[in-house]
Amino acid sequence: MNFKVTKTDKTRIEGIDWNNLRFGVYFSDHVFISRYKDGKWDDGAIEPYGLLPFEPGLCTLHYGQTIFEGLKAFKAKSGGANIFRPDMNVKRLNRSAELVCIPTYDDERLLAGIRELVKLDSKFIPGNKGQSLYIRPVVFGSGHFLGVTAASEYHLIVMTSPVASYYAAGLNPVKIMVSTDHVRAVQGGVGAAKTAANYAASLWAGMDAHKRGFAQVLWLDGVNRKDIDEVGAMNIMFVIDNELITPSLSKGTVLAGVTRNTVLTLAKEWGMKVSERNISIDEVDDAHASGRVNEVFGTGTAAVISPVGLLEYKGKEMIFNDMKIGPVAQKFYDTITGIQTGEIEDTHKWNQHVDF
Ligand SMILES: Cc1ncc(COP(=O)(O)O)c(C=O)c1O
């Protein structure tokens, strides 16, 4: 696919502090952009990253008809870059689109646009351990009106951002607060969509957790506040009696994580016992009390694997694996990051390679 490419005449690269990248602070020079009008998406084009012409009546500002994705490109050992499982993100973007009445986008066109963008801005891909080019597609209603209805015009924009590891702690275990006062999603809602509302709903508890020294919030189900859903920006996995257990996706309240799928696929291949099922906080508490919890860790694109060293639930602290990285978390981390950079053979064809 050929896209119209308009290059910037002023690169942003000089403004980047490569020794202090952090997460999502810097943006690369270009975006892939496509506009929906009169019932169809245009072909998409590459344009300079910059201001967009919107009015205060922009519908998405009012009603939040916005979806997004997060994926990464890594410097490949053999040269060029590997984009990790972008097909999964594009599929999930379209599932999110359906949940909030946004017109879906052609998978292949979006994948081609992402590859083209990564290639054009390849000088923004950092190469140190844990670093990558974060790719953020966003789609939002871009008509101007105040009626509560689905928009008739949309923008799809893919931007990229050179990033370091998501947590300052790196692969070190994080402390997580189990929220009992707030809920993120309910059955019948939009918890399975990567849509703005879920993140807005999570901010209060997230800030409270930060103030109290926790990295993130663990969300329980919205009705009984017992079954575990997920963490703020990660799915959650428990290794109990050497069985890998993660909440199932069937209630529609949990994001279908790409890393979650990657971990479950590898675990099954490695012969681990794997269960996707309901798991309540009481079950974890009991298993912890009887010393049966081997490890707890989160999975997500930003951190890949994030060991959970401590869960606080109703004032009680559960410490896992002596606050140390466990062998299971370490093996998933090493394997997945090895595949992403090309140091480990990609037998599943998860990487889409971009030459430059
Ligand atoms: C709410 C939520 N759950 C889970 C995840 C992990 O998903 P993935 O592995 O696709 O990054 C994310 C991150 O995107 C998230 O925001």
Side-chain angles (χ1 to χ4, degrees):
M1 269 173 222
N2 282 327
F3 299 104
K4 183 172 176 233
V5 176
T6 310
K7 289 194 185 162
T8 182
D9 50 17
K10 194 168 177 292
T11 182
R12 308 167 66 86
I13 205 149
E14 277 97 36
I16 296 178
D17 180 355
W18 295 99
N19 297 318
N20 187 22
L21 278 179
R22 291 159 287 161
F23 188 86
V25 176
Y26 299 111
F27 294 96
S28 315
D29 280 344
H30 299 92
V31 295
F32 174 75
I33 186 161
S34 188
R35 296 164 181 88
Y36 181 94
K37 209 176 171 184
D38 301 328
K40 59 178 193 308
W41 287 105
D42 67 15
D43 289 344
I46 304 262
E47 296 178 10
Y49 178 98
L51 298 178
L52 294 163
F54 296 126
E55 299 168 22
L58 181 75
C59 61
T60 195
L61 294 182
H62 304 262
Y63 308 119
Q65 208 191 0
T66 298
I67 54 171
F68 65 98
E69 270 305 325
L71 60 156
K72 282 176 169 176
F74 301 85
K75 272 249 165 82
K77 195 178 162 219
S78 57
N82 292 329
I83 311 178
F84 189 66
R85 307 195 77 182
D87 49 321
M88 294 281 284
N89 293 89
V90 168
K91 275 202 197 86
R92 188 171 67 189
L93 186 75
N94 278 331
R95 271 203 309 279
S96 298
E98 282 163 4
L99 278 166
V100 294
C101 303
I102 290 178
T104 56
Y105 200 83
D106 182 76
D107 286 38
E108 288 310 318
R109 180 166 292 278
L110 182 50
L111 286 168
I114 290 172
R115 282 194 301 268
E116 184 90 10
L117 185 64
V118 169
K119 196 177 169 122
L120 181 64
D121 280 342
S122 61
K123 60 182 184 297
F124 285 85
I125 310 174
N128 291 339
K129 201 166 168 51
Q131 297 181 332
S132 57
L133 187 72
Y134 184 75
I135 303 167
R136 166 57 60 88
V138 61
V139 190
F140 55 94
S142 52
H144 298 98
F145 63 90
L146 296 181
V148 181
T149 178
S152 55
E153 291 174 26
Y154 295 86
H155 272 60
L156 175 149
I157 303 173
V158 184
M159 64 205 89
T160 65
S161 171
V163 298
S165 184
Y166 188 65
Y167 294 111
L171 191 58
N172 290 328
V174 291
K175 296 181 182 178
I176 290 196
M177 181 187 96
V178 182
S179 179
T180 47
D181 295 340
H182 295 84
V183 296
R184 172 189 175 273
V186 289
Q187 269 181 278
V190 291
K194 210 163 164 60
T195 187
N198 291 326
Y199 296 83
S202 75
L203 292 179
W204 203 100
M207 283 168 70
D208 188 37
H210 279 153
K211 267 190 246 153
R212 299 183 47 219
F214 298 97
Q216 282 205 27
V217 171
L218 178 70
W219 298 105
L220 302 178
D221 76 276
V223 180
N224 300 314
R225 307 202 185 172
K226 283 287 176 198
D227 290 335
I228 293 170
D229 272 351
E230 62 180 324
V231 184
M234 305 190 290
N235 294 108
I236 186 90
M237 308 244 168
F238 299 88
V239 186
I240 300 179
D241 287 332
N242 298 313
E243 176 184 3
L244 184 67
I245 305 167
T246 194
S248 85
L249 304 175
S250 60
K251 287 193 276 184
T253 54
V254 172
L255 192 76
V258 176
T259 322
R260 176 187 183 279
N261 178 281
T262 304
V263 164
L264 294 178
T265 305
L266 291 171
K268 286 175 197 162
E269 285 173 11
W270 294 345
M272 285 183 82
K273 190 169 174 213
V274 175
S275 293
E276 291 178 71
R277 63 164 172 85
N278 262 1
I279 175 163
S280 70
I281 190 70
D282 292 337
E283 180 181 342
V284 173
D285 196 11
D286 287 349
H288 172 260
S290 54
R292 291 182 296 112
V293 182
N294 310 107
E295 290 181 42
V296 182
F297 56 90
T299 65
T301 297
V304 187
I305 300 291
S306 182
V308 177
L310 183 150
L311 276 184
E312 192 225 44
Y313 176 57
K314 292 188 173 169
K316 180 176 163 188
E317 293 189 341
M318 296 178 231
I319 293 182
F320 304 109
N321 199 42
D322 292 331
M323 284 290 290
K324 294 198 197 85
I325 304 158
V328 178
Q330 185 76 55
K331 187 172 174 190
F332 282 123
Y333 181 82
D334 292 343
T335 307
I336 297 169
T337 53
I339 294 170
Q340 288 168 333
T341 54
E343 268 143 302
I344 293 178
E345 195 190 345
D346 177 22
T347 52
H348 304 86
K349 303 215 177 333
W350 281 334
N351 291 323
Q352 288 204 11
H353 190 76
V354 178
D355 278 318
F356 46 81

